């Protein structure tokens, strides 16, 4: 490993943590990285390859239990566009989950995820329209299937993104920022 960075961690007990990020490959690209803490040592876990991707980045992880974690981020597709990435840890191996790009958008990325069970997560980030505008993105996982959720923005907002999310069993709150004319404004909102 030439260089590596861990950017998010989630613990369900003092001896059960998962940290994610990325590391540089010998070819000069970036690929996902996941480490697991067992109470005494960290061990690097193999994350699945994304076919044709030069860059694979994990930005957030949320664990509902020691054997149920979801990590999100993005990857560059073979066509050169950013695609949302979701991976799931079952306590032994990581597997890829399919997260859609919203209809009418050219690209999308996840910045954060919050899970309330092994099969119930919400991920947030941003999508880029075909005209180049950035809009907030929210996707929900239920039983392994990700679906795009409606994400409101203030009427005066030109562009926006979501950077963090926290969920309970019945609702989520996400925060981020939006461009309002020439100023960037922070904002949070709730999802039911």
């Amino acid at each position: 490993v030439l260089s590596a960075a861990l950017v998010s961690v989630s613990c369900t007990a003092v001896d059960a943590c998962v940290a994610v990020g990325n590391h540089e490959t010998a070819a000069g690209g970036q690929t996902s990285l996941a480490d697991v803490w067992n109470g005494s040592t960290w061990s690097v876990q193999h994350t699945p390859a994304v076919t044709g991707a030069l860059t694979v980045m994990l930005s957030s992880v949320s664990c509902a239990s020691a054997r149920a974690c979801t990590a999100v981020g993005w990857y560059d597709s073979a066509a050169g566009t950013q695609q949302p990435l979701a991976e799931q840890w079952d306590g032994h191996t990581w597997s890829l989950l399919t997260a859609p790009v919203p209809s009418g958008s050219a690209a999308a990325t996840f910045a954060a995820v919050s899970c309330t069970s092994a099969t119930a997560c919400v991920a947030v980030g941003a999508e880029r329209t075909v005209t180049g505008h950035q809009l907030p993105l929210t996707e929900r996982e239920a039983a392994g299937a990700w679906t795009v959720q409606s994400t409101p923005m203030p009427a005066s907002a030109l562009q926006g993104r979501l950077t963090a999310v926290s969920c309970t069993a019945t609702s989520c709150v996400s925060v981020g920022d939006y461009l309002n004319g020439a100023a960037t404004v922070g904002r949070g909102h709730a999802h039911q």
Side-chain angles (χ1 to χ4, degrees), residues 9 14 20 22 31 47-49 54 59 68 71 81-83 89 96-97 105 118 124 127 133 136 138 147 163 189:
V9 65
V14 296
V20 300
N22 60 69
T31 193
T47 55
L54 177 61
S59 56
T81 60
Q82 291 180 334
Q83 305 290 303
W89 170 251
L96 289 173
L97 300 173
S105 291
V124 298
E127 62 179 282
H133 286 85
T138 303
T147 56
T163 55
H189 60 84

Side-chain angles (χ1 to χ4, degrees), residues 43-69:
S43 58
V44 177
Q45 302 299 313
H46 174 75
T47 55
V50 180
T51 305
L54 177 61
T55 302
V56 179
M57 307 287 279
L58 290 175
S59 56
S60 181
V61 63
S62 180
C63 297
S65 73
R67 296 183 180 273
C69 299

Side-chain angles (χ1 to χ4, degrees), residues 162-184:
L162 294 171
T163 55
V165 62
S166 182
C167 298
T168 66
T170 58
S171 66
C172 296
V173 173
S174 58
V175 297
D177 54 61
Y178 65 92
L179 183 64
N180 184 6
T184 301

Side-chain angles (χ1 to χ4, degrees), residues 9 11 13-19 35-43 45 66:
V9 65
C11 299
V14 296
D15 60 352
C17 297
V18 173
D35 286 359
V36 174
W37 172 254
N38 66 9
S40 59
T41 59
W42 286 97
S43 58
Q45 302 299 313

Side-chain angles (χ1 to χ4, degrees), residues 57 59 72-76 81-85 100-102 107-112 123-128 134-139 161-162:
M57 307 287 279
S59 56
V72 299
W74 58 272
Y75 67 93
D76 284 326
T81 60
Q82 291 180 334
Q83 305 290 303
L85 174 66
V101 172
T109 60
F110 285 143
V124 298
E127 62 179 282
R128 192 177 72 247
Q134 181 176 267
L135 301 174
L137 171 66
T138 303
E139 294 194 23
R161 66 180 175 171
L162 294 171

Side-chain angles (χ1 to χ4, degrees), residues 1-5 22-26 29-33 35 44:
V1 174
L2 303 173
S3 67
N22 60 69
H23 68 88
E24 188 177 0
T25 66
Q30 295 284 328
T31 193
S32 57
L33 173 65
D35 286 359
V44 177

